Amino acid sequence: GDRLTEASTLYHIALLNSDRNNIEQALSQIQIAIAILEKQDVQANSNLKSNSQQNYYQFYRELLNQKHR
């Protein structure tokens, strides 16, 4: 399947887990999503990838902050 779709799915599952206060699970899922994005060809869907990376990293930082509260 499409790896960007897989990353997006993991991102959205992480959001749901975060809403349910399952921070560890959310962190695990967003880390995998980020790893998938980082491995993708820079030329492929570069605007989509760039926007997704910004959102994913921002969400990752938010989760880390929640974990350490």
Side-chain angles (χ1 to χ4, degrees):
D2 182 355
R3 297 292 283 170
L4 291 177
T5 301
E6 182 181 354
S8 177
T9 300
L10 285 166
Y11 171 73
H12 286 95
I13 293 171
L15 287 171
L16 289 173
N17 274 312
S18 174
D19 288 344
R20 295 178 180 160
N21 209 29
N22 296 328
I23 303 304
E24 290 296 329
Q25 290 172 327
L27 276 168
S28 176
Q29 289 151 338
I30 196 64
Q31 287 169 334
I32 296 167
I34 288 169
I36 290 169
L37 278 185
E38 289 176 345
K39 290 178 183 176
Q40 294 304 297
D41 181 12
V42 175
Q43 297 299 324
N45 299 314
S46 60
N47 287 339
L48 174 62
K49 181 183 172 188
S50 177
N51 290 336
S52 295
Q53 273 183 316
Q54 284 183 334
N55 292 337
Y56 292 18
Y57 281 120
Q58 179 180 347
F59 180 56
Y60 181 59
R61 286 190 299 273
E62 290 169 6
L63 287 172
L64 289 174
N65 286 335
Q66 286 180 33
K67 179 181 176 181
H68 296 293
R69 283 186 191 155

